[in-house]
């Protein structure tokens, strides 16, 4: 019987001292995979209960035996292999679901698990029935409002620095800004402003990191930047009290002119009688329009003030210099791009999902450094794929390495950029999954919605 091949490995980590093992090289069987390696670390640390670990070689997660990894990377079995161990990510667990009257088209869980204890009305959902709904941590509806005729396409909280403000976009060609009522018992979203620059359905909105601006895009092929936040909310309050609307729009004096006037924008009554209607500020002129897309602009994300990305049915993804009003970089692919996500800590790195079922990563720094079409091809890599269109991409707020995606194949997938295969697949939806978002607070939880008319909540697993 042939002897089992051994490999010399050195275990290193950036974890606290209490979780570090001696860095002396040890011989281990070359057939070991991450589970066997994790058992060694647990034994050396005498952990009780045991903890799962993942292992990195030159920044890449090991997803095969050590022997296969050495062969696949043309590494010598005679040299010492350095393995960095990190806590393994435990996939989120399905916790709750709640029905809607129509497809759940958009979610925002960024305030869904605040470390300060804020919970009531902290998860947003938008539905094709036109309703905006707010939910607590147990998916009990705390408020709803009839937001848009024809359906809600997108819901987004503004950053907390701007207070309890949120945006919705819809098929009725408008974007609306709402304020959560200060009284939790009132169960009410109050409409403050309506943005009326689009000539067709609005697909997506993205607030800037400061929350003082947002970008909107839609089926009319337009990508526009608007002013929002506290300044516009104060203008709306002045208008609602019968003052001059222009008195509150001081935020536009730098370079921008916002045409504003008050109008009565009464929405149809919602199911619980909360229509969110009343007098609101009507804004019809954007601050900046970014021209370049040739068809529907399907998605936009704004991870840093200087890094606005958009994508569309013209198969392109564009990075914009908002101040100059021009596209600073463009990736042209072969399929429609449906969803985008970037991380505030690394805004030059963009993840996007396409109708060819692929999740791709674009490092815009590589293109800027290399120039030319060849550099662009190198900068965009395929991370993995679903069995259907990729409809949503969400970057974990507590990790630059982890993403979640939703797809028409009925699943959510969890990804680590350091591996080319997904970490987990969650298949609790019974139809197309249309949207996904991470819960705030760093707990690793998820919220999703789909064509099965269900809003689903997933408890965070360890490692995120």
């Amino acid at each position: 019987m042939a002897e089992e091949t051994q490999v010399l490995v050195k275990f290193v980590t950036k974890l606290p001292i209490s979780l570090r093992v001696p860095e002396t090289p040890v011989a281990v069987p070359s057939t070991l995979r991450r589970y066997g390696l994790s058992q060694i670390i647990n034994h050396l640390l005498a952990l009780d209960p045991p903890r799962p670990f993942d292992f990195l070689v030159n920044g890449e997660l090991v997803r095969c035996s050590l022997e296969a990894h050495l062969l696949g990377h043309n590494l010598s079995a005679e040299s010492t292999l350095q393995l960095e161990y990190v806590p393994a990510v435990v996939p989120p667990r399905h916790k709750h679901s709640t029905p809607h009257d129509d497809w759940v088209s958009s979610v925002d869980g960024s305030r869904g698990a605040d470390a300060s204890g804020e919970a009531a009305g902290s998860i947003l959902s938008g539905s094709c029935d036109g309703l905006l709904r707010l939910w607590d941590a147990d998916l009990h509806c705390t408020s709803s409002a009839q937001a848009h005729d024809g359906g809600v396409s997108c819901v987004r909280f503004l950053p907390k620095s701007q207070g309890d403000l949120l945006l919705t976009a819809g098929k009725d060609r408008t974007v609306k800004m709402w304020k959560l009522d200060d009284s939790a018992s009132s169960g009410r979203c109050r409409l403050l402003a309506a943005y009326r620059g689009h000539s067709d359905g609005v697909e997506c909105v993205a607030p800037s990191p400061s929350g003082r601006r947002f970008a909107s895009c839609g089926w009319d092929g337009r990508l526009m930047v608007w002013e929002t936040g506290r300044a516009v909310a104060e203008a709306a309050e002045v208008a609602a009290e019968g003052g001059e609307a222009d008195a509150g729009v001081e935020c536009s004096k730098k370079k921008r002119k916002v045409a504003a006037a008050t109008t009565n924008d009464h929405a149809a009554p919602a199911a619980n009688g909360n229509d969110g209607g009343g007098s609101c500020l009507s804004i019809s002129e954007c601050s900046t329009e970014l021209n370049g897309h040739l068809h529907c602009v399907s998605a936009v994300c704004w991870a840093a003030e200087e890094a606005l990305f958009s994508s569309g049915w013209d198969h392109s993804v564009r990075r914009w210099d908002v101040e100059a009003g021009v596209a600073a970089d463009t990736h042209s692919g072969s399929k429609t791009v449906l969803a985008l996500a970037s991380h505030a800590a690394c805004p030059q790195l963009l993840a996007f999902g396409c109708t060819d079922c692929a999740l791709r990563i674009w490092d815009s720094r590589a293109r800027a450094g290399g120039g030319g079409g060849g550099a662009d091809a190198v900068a965009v890599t395929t991370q993995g794929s679903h069995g259907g269109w990729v409809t949503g991409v969400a970057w974990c707020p507590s990790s630059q390495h982890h993403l979640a995606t939703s797809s028409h194949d009925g699943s959510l997938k969890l990804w680590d950029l350091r591996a080319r295969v997904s970490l987990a697949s969650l298949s609790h939806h019974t139809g197309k999954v249309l949207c996904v978002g991470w819960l705030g607070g760093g707990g690793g939880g998820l919220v999703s919605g789909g064509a099965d008319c269900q809003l689903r909540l997933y408890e965070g697993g360890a490692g995120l």
Side-chain angles (χ1 to χ4, degrees), residues 257-334:
K257 179 180 178 183
V258 177
T262 55
T263 183
N264 286 330
D265 190 6
H266 295 284
N272 67 353
N274 178 17
D275 62 7
S279 296
C280 79
L281 198 66
S282 181
I283 301 173
S284 58
E285 185 178 331
C286 65
S287 308
T288 305
E289 182 164 1
L290 305 174
N291 296 306
H293 283 285
L294 304 177
H295 207 292
C296 168
V297 186
S298 53
V300 61
C301 72
W302 203 337
E305 292 293 337
E306 71 281 3
L308 172 65
F309 287 92
S310 65
S311 65
W313 284 68
D314 59 3
H315 305 169
S316 73
V317 181
R318 300 170 189 262
R319 180 170 63 89
W320 298 90
D321 182 332
V322 179
E323 297 305 319
V326 297
D329 218 344
T330 301
H331 164 67
S332 296
S334 60

Side-chain angles (χ1 to χ4, degrees), residues 30-394:
S30 63
T31 56
L32 283 186
R33 295 172 176 264
R34 58 179 177 146
Y35 179 72
L37 294 169
S38 187
Q39 286 182 310
I40 293 175
I41 298 298
N42 275 274
H43 175 74
L44 292 174
L45 294 173
L47 295 178
D48 187 20
R51 295 174 55 176
F53 292 96
D54 261 320
F55 297 84
L56 295 160
V57 177
N58 295 325
E60 181 181 341
L61 283 175
V62 176
R63 283 294 179 266
C64 56
S65 69
L66 294 178
E67 183 178 37
H69 185 89
L70 292 171
L71 289 172
H73 292 77
N74 294 319
L75 298 175
S76 171
E78 303 297 325
S79 60
T80 300
L81 186 64
Q82 181 168 292
L83 294 173
E84 179 186 353
Y85 58 96
V86 296
V89 172
V90 178
R93 300 171 300 276
H94 188 260
K95 181 180 179 183
H96 294 305
S97 67
T98 189
H100 285 55
D101 294 330
D102 209 329
W103 292 8
V104 182
S105 50
S106 182
V107 294
D108 186 344
S110 59
R111 299 194 189 182
D114 196 308
S116 65
E118 179 184 5
S122 56
I123 297 173
L124 293 179
S125 71
S127 173
C128 292
D129 60 10
L131 283 175
L132 161 69
R133 296 178 175 89
L134 284 88
W135 310 84
D136 65 16
D138 294 315
L139 291 191
H140 297 136
C141 187
T142 61
S143 181
S144 67
Q146 185 69 38
H148 296 275
D149 294 333
V152 179
S153 303
C154 188
V155 294
R156 292 291 182 267
F157 278 114
L158 290 184
K160 289 183 181 179
S161 60
Q162 299 300 319
D164 292 328
L165 300 175
L166 60 96
L167 299 170
T168 62
K171 305 299 184 185
D172 59 2
R173 302 175 293 180
T174 65
V175 177
K176 295 181 180 180
M177 182 173 70
W178 306 77
K179 180 178 176 62
L180 304 187
D181 197 289
D182 294 333
S183 171
S185 61
S186 69
R188 183 175 175 84
C189 291
R190 185 155 54 90
L191 179 62
L192 295 182
Y195 299 83
R196 305 180 183 280
H198 285 276
S199 59
D200 207 336
V202 186
E203 279 290 281
C204 188
V205 292
S208 68
S210 69
R212 292 190 291 267
R213 295 181 293 176
F214 75 88
S216 66
C217 61
W219 281 97
D220 56 4
R222 302 180 74 183
L223 173 61
M224 292 184 277
V225 176
W226 307 81
E227 299 200 16
T228 189
R230 290 184 186 274
V232 177
E234 290 169 3
E237 299 284 3
V238 171
E241 292 169 3
E244 292 295 325
D246 289 339
V249 193
E250 295 296 328
C251 59
S252 300
K253 285 190 174 180
K254 291 180 181 178
K255 294 182 181 178
R256 304 169 178 86
K257 179 180 178 183
V258 177
T262 55
T263 183
N264 286 330
D265 190 6
H266 295 284
N272 67 353
N274 178 17
D275 62 7
S279 296
C280 79
L281 198 66
S282 181
I283 301 173
S284 58
E285 185 178 331
C286 65
S287 308
T288 305
E289 182 164 1
L290 305 174
N291 296 306
H293 283 285
L294 304 177
H295 207 292
C296 168
V297 186
S298 53
V300 61
C301 72
W302 203 337
E305 292 293 337
E306 71 281 3
L308 172 65
F309 287 92
S310 65
S311 65
W313 284 68
D314 59 3
H315 305 169
S316 73
V317 181
R318 300 170 189 262
R319 180 170 63 89
W320 298 90
D321 182 332
V322 179
E323 297 305 319
V326 297
D329 218 344
T330 301
H331 164 67
S332 296
S334 60
K335 296 294 180 180
T336 297
V337 181
L338 300 176
L340 299 173
S342 189
H343 197 285
C346 189
Q348 299 86 2
L349 202 61
L350 183 77
F352 58 96
C354 307
T355 56
D356 64 354
C357 314
L359 170 66
R360 293 185 170 88
I361 307 297
W362 178 22
D363 188 342
S364 59
R365 296 167 299 185
R367 191 191 194 291
D376 181 49
V378 173
V380 177
T381 59
T382 300
Q383 183 69 24
S385 64
H386 275 269
W389 290 9
V390 180
T391 54
V393 182

